[in-house]
Amino acid sequence: MAMAVAQHRESSSGSINKHLTDNGKYVRYTAEQVEALERVYAECPKPSSLRRQQLIRECPILSNIEPKQIKVWFQNRRCREKQRKEASRLQTVNRKLTAMNKLLMEENDRLQKQVSQLVCENGYMRQQLHTASAGTDASCDSVVTTPQHSLRDASNPAGLLSIAEETLAEFLSKATGTAVDWVQMPGMKPGPDSVGIFAISQSCSGVAARACGLVSLEPTKIAEILKDRPSWFRDCRSLEVFTMFPAGNGGTIELVYSQIYAPTTLAPARDFWTLRYTTSLENGSLVVCERSLSGSGAGPNAAAASQFVRAEMLPSGYLIRPCEGGGSIIHIVDHLNLEPWSVPEVLRPLYESSKVVAQKTTIAALRYIRQIAQETSGEVVYGLGRQPAVLRTFSQRLSRGFNDAINGFNDDGWSLMSCDGAEDVIIAVNSTKNLSSTSNPANSLSFLGGVLCAKASMLLQNVPPAVLVRFLREHRSEWADFNVDAYSAASLKAGSYAFPGMRPARFTGSQIIMPLGHTIEHEELLEVIRLEGHSLVQEDAFVSRDIHLLQICSGIDENAVGACSELVFAPIDEMFPDDAPLLPSGFRVIPLDSKTSSDTWELKHNEAHSRFF
């Protein structure tokens, strides 16, 4: 018993100069012997019997040590390493739980204040109903509203600074106070393994969503990433800073113009003209807040924004607080007025739903920050030797190309063609595309004369988006016609632009999915698809005619609330380089909040293939 206690004390003390052998005797090691054993341990923590004997032969300083004693030393060394890693893991978990507990306590305090305020309002309304006349009943409106900022002179720095300070105060009241009546995001309960705490508003003007969570990055790094909105917000087409000047306390004021893609072909895109204020608080927190400036004509000239509807951003932004032991606690608020009057009535739920804003913007921002943090710490490993930044770039390029084709902006070179009376199909052509990849003629892309794009929209009932996208991903042979594909059509078409080496092929319909990477909650998958096929020409019978696609798939979780589902793909070479040209095609399925008993979804199908003109 005493011997076991001594062994436990030896292990816990971390001593490296003596070890207990199998027969209960301590063996003391010199510093030189420990150094030699540590060098071997660094190369091989669990050496075989032959390796241990070889070590004794090659190291004279270990000649007086028996192989069994060397074995025990390595066992004890591995045990200490395991204990050290476990202690470090538990410290990390404890730090995260402490920060999450702090967030939950703050949320509880906010809810208690909100309950107290509602109780006071309820008592006041009861008193008015009993004592006041009908003319004074209108004064019982809730005071929990977002105050409208007074008109100020935005043409000089003093006026902009006044607007910035007002924006900061209103944003903080939304992020940590009761200025907005927040309710928990349906289907996303907070917990130790959750990404964060999410809430939406159902009573304020416009649509609003809020998120807060713990991120293992420094505040300045988080602010830098989030301010670069096109890098993480897939629906952001562009963001341009027109003016920037200092605002005291190390802060800055920027005038920003941004453009946001429309999710469907049936709605116009949005743009924003905003003031963005970055500053530090007395408690060390970093704030980036933003709001729209008055005047629909503000910003770039009207010709540049003719295809956009000017939307309004109410005070929104990011509150980033440094956390003890490293990392940050971040609060994100998105409060928008997306002008739903400008879209068909069937699509207005997309522009009137706080759940949609939460999924597409607020939650996406927090997930992206956490993804970067995990990649920085080395917790994420991807396939085929690709770096995380490269894979993110591929996903962003696929999404951007798909959105470009759906929106068909004139300044990108898109123009509409005759649709032959089919109102649900739109044909557009882009003659400015000039991309080529010739590393593999069998898989080459060639856009010598332009790109033809066919877009279709339809409404589906009683078909969950996640189920539909999973079917499209897993059963490609049942909806894709591989016998007449873009490559075969291009090679068979007579003309001087026929690419040398192209041969007609027939595809069997079978596909092999090769994973490349995924986001932290597997809400988006990046993968390479190989479509197997064989040549129609006898002399090419033994030549591979497989087609490869780079594909992103998202929204296949049926429990996600308000998220759209997508399957976007583009043909690539078998060994595609990091700068490979991409011409995306695919499907977007958007859930619509139906006011009837049945659910309705909109299916977006966009095909963009190479054509020769």
Side-chain angles (χ1 to χ4, degrees):
M1 181 67 180
M3 189 178 301
V5 173
Q7 183 179 7
H8 175 72
R9 290 177 178 174
E10 174 67 20
S11 176
S12 61
S13 65
S15 175
I16 61 174
N17 63 343
K18 59 181 180 178
H19 290 266
L20 190 66
T21 62
D22 290 343
N23 57 10
K25 296 181 179 180
Y26 280 111
V27 177
R28 295 184 177 274
Y29 296 88
T30 65
E32 292 79 6
Q33 290 174 331
V34 172
E35 183 180 356
L37 292 171
E38 288 287 354
R39 285 198 300 268
V40 176
Y41 182 84
E43 298 176 359
C44 179
K46 194 174 183 180
S48 63
S49 176
L50 294 177
R51 182 69 181 90
R52 294 194 298 268
Q53 294 177 2
Q54 179 185 2
L55 174 63
I56 294 175
R57 291 194 303 268
E58 294 178 351
C59 295
I61 60 175
L62 298 176
S63 59
N64 62 330
I65 307 297
E66 297 180 2
K68 183 180 293 186
Q69 296 170 341
I70 297 292
K71 176 183 178 181
V72 172
W73 186 93
F74 276 96
Q75 288 175 344
N76 293 337
R77 181 66 177 83
R78 291 195 299 271
C79 182
R80 289 198 305 275
E81 181 71 14
K82 182 179 180 181
Q83 291 176 345
R84 184 190 65 80
K85 290 182 178 179
E86 180 65 13
S88 176
R89 186 189 70 82
L90 291 176
Q91 289 178 356
T92 301
V93 171
N94 182 66
R95 189 170 65 252
K96 290 182 177 179
L97 290 176
T98 300
M100 182 60 69
N101 182 62
K102 183 178 180 180
L103 276 177
L104 291 173
M105 291 177 63
E106 292 177 353
E107 182 70 4
N108 184 60
D109 290 342
R110 187 193 66 81
L111 291 174
Q112 288 182 353
K113 292 178 181 178
Q114 185 171 327
V115 168
S116 299
Q117 186 171 346
L118 290 174
V119 169
C120 292
E121 291 178 16
N122 184 55
Y124 176 75
M125 293 179 67
R126 285 177 178 271
Q127 182 181 2
Q128 291 295 312
L129 287 173
H130 287 86
T131 62
S133 63
T136 60
D137 287 343
S139 64
C140 299
D141 292 340
S142 173
V143 298
V144 188
T145 58
T146 301
Q148 297 294 325
H149 72 88
S150 58
L151 294 178
R152 303 181 188 275
D153 185 6
S155 61
N156 61 76
L160 292 175
L161 180 58
S162 177
I163 296 175
E165 292 174 347
E166 186 178 278
T167 301
L168 174 63
E170 293 187 29
F171 161 69
L172 291 177
S173 67
K174 296 177 183 179
T176 60
T178 59
V180 172
D181 185 10
W182 298 112
V183 296
Q184 182 177 298
M185 178 77 174
M188 303 192 72
K189 295 182 179 179
D193 298 325
S194 64
V195 176
I197 303 172
F198 306 104
I200 59 175
S201 173
Q202 295 179 333
S203 60
C204 69
S205 60
V207 289
R210 190 188 69 154
C212 52
L214 174 67
V215 180
S216 57
L217 289 176
E218 295 303 312
T220 53
K221 179 64 174 177
I222 295 175
E224 176 186 348
I225 295 173
L226 291 177
K227 290 175 72 172
D228 184 17
R229 196 172 295 139
S231 68
W232 59 266
F233 185 30
R234 297 292 177 82
D235 287 348
C236 183
R237 184 193 184 212
S238 64
L239 184 147
E240 186 175 359
V241 177
F242 277 78
T243 304
M244 180 174 66
F245 59 88
N249 296 326
T252 57
I253 291 178
E254 302 165 292
L255 299 185
V256 180
Y257 176 70
S258 56
Q259 296 177 342
I260 308 299
Y261 289 111
T264 79
T265 59
L266 304 177
R270 285 349 190 220
D271 66 351
F272 295 87
W273 177 243
T274 59
L275 177 146
R276 186 166 65 186
Y277 183 33
T278 304
T279 188
S280 298
L281 304 181
E282 294 181 356
N283 61 3
S285 300
L286 185 62
V287 177
V288 181
C289 55
E290 190 170 356
R291 83 177 313 154
S292 289
L293 294 175
S294 301
S296 59
N301 60 68
S306 59
Q307 291 185 276
F308 297 86
V309 171
R310 178 61 52 87
E312 180 186 9
M313 179 182 295
L314 287 80
S316 307
Y318 319 109
L319 169 62
I320 312 167
R321 299 185 295 177
C323 190
E324 294 182 6
S328 307
I329 295 176
I330 179 172
H331 295 255
I332 303 175
V333 173
D334 291 297
H335 193 178
L336 308 171
N337 178 7
L338 296 175
E339 305 296 342
W341 57 266
S342 63
V343 300
E345 185 175 357
V346 69
L347 297 181
R348 288 182 186 175
L350 296 178
Y351 296 82
E352 298 174 336
S353 171
S354 294
K355 292 186 294 184
V356 173
V357 172
Q359 284 285 358
K360 296 182 66 175
T361 309
T362 317
I363 299 176
L366 186 55
R367 281 176 171 163
Y368 184 82
I369 291 294
R370 287 175 58 91
Q371 183 80 21
I372 296 295
Q374 289 198 2
E375 292 174 0
T376 303
S377 64
E379 299 178 35
V380 182
V381 179
Y382 292 106
L384 303 184
R386 298 281 181 170
Q387 295 297 320
V390 174
L391 297 182
R392 285 200 308 272
T393 300
F394 275 123
S395 297
Q396 291 162 1
R397 289 173 57 197
L398 284 172
S399 295
R400 177 172 293 274
F402 187 63
N403 276 321
D404 280 337
I406 288 179
N407 286 260
F409 294 114
N410 295 334
D411 54 359
D412 282 338
W414 291 99
S415 57
L416 295 179
M417 296 179 62
S418 174
C419 299
D420 297 329
E423 296 180 358
D424 58 343
V425 178
I426 300 174
I427 308 296
V429 61
N430 192 326
S431 60
T432 63
K433 297 290 184 181
N434 187 10
L435 311 173
S436 63
S437 174
T438 58
S439 58
N440 183 356
N443 255 348
S444 63
L445 309 176
S446 183
F447 315 111
L448 301 179
V451 176
L452 189 66
C453 175
K455 299 176 281 188
S457 303
M458 65 186 71
L459 292 175
L460 302 177
Q461 290 187 338
N462 302 322
V463 182
V467 174
L468 179 56
V469 169
R470 281 205 303 269
F471 169 81
L472 294 171
R473 174 176 179 260
E474 299 169 4
H475 302 277
R476 193 178 298 265
S477 61
E478 300 186 34
W479 57 266
D481 186 359
F482 296 127
N483 294 330
V484 183
D485 64 288
Y487 312 105
S488 300
S491 64
L492 293 173
K493 181 177 176 65
S496 58
Y497 294 122
F499 194 87
M502 294 288 290
R503 295 292 187 273
R506 172 174 287 116
F507 296 93
T508 62
S510 60
Q511 66 173 354
I512 299 176
I513 300 178
M514 296 173 282
L516 275 180
H518 56 79
T519 49
I520 54 177
E521 292 187 315
H522 291 77
E523 68 273 8
E524 180 177 286
L525 309 175
L526 180 65
E527 50 203 11
V528 172
I529 309 299
R530 189 176 74 191
L531 307 176
E532 297 180 334
H534 61 272
S535 175
L536 296 177
V537 183
Q538 182 64 31
E539 56 266 26
D540 292 339
F542 298 101
V543 178
S544 173
R545 291 296 165 189
D546 295 347
I547 288 294
H548 293 81
L549 304 173
L550 180 66
Q551 176 173 282
I552 55 173
C553 180
S554 61
I556 57 177
D557 182 7
E558 294 185 52
N559 297 321
V561 180
C564 71
S565 302
E566 287 187 342
L567 185 73
V568 181
F569 47 88
I572 57 172
D573 292 329
E574 183 175 1
M575 299 300 295
F576 64 103
D578 293 347
D579 59 348
L582 299 178
L583 189 64
S585 306
F587 303 85
R588 172 176 294 163
V589 189
I590 306 173
L592 300 177
D593 289 333
S594 178
K595 297 181 180 180
T596 61
S597 58
S598 61
D599 292 327
T600 303
W601 289 269
E602 182 185 15
L603 170 65
K604 299 304 303 174
H605 177 201
N606 171 55
E607 290 285 351
H609 288 310
S610 57
R611 290 292 187 268
F612 293 85
F613 306 116

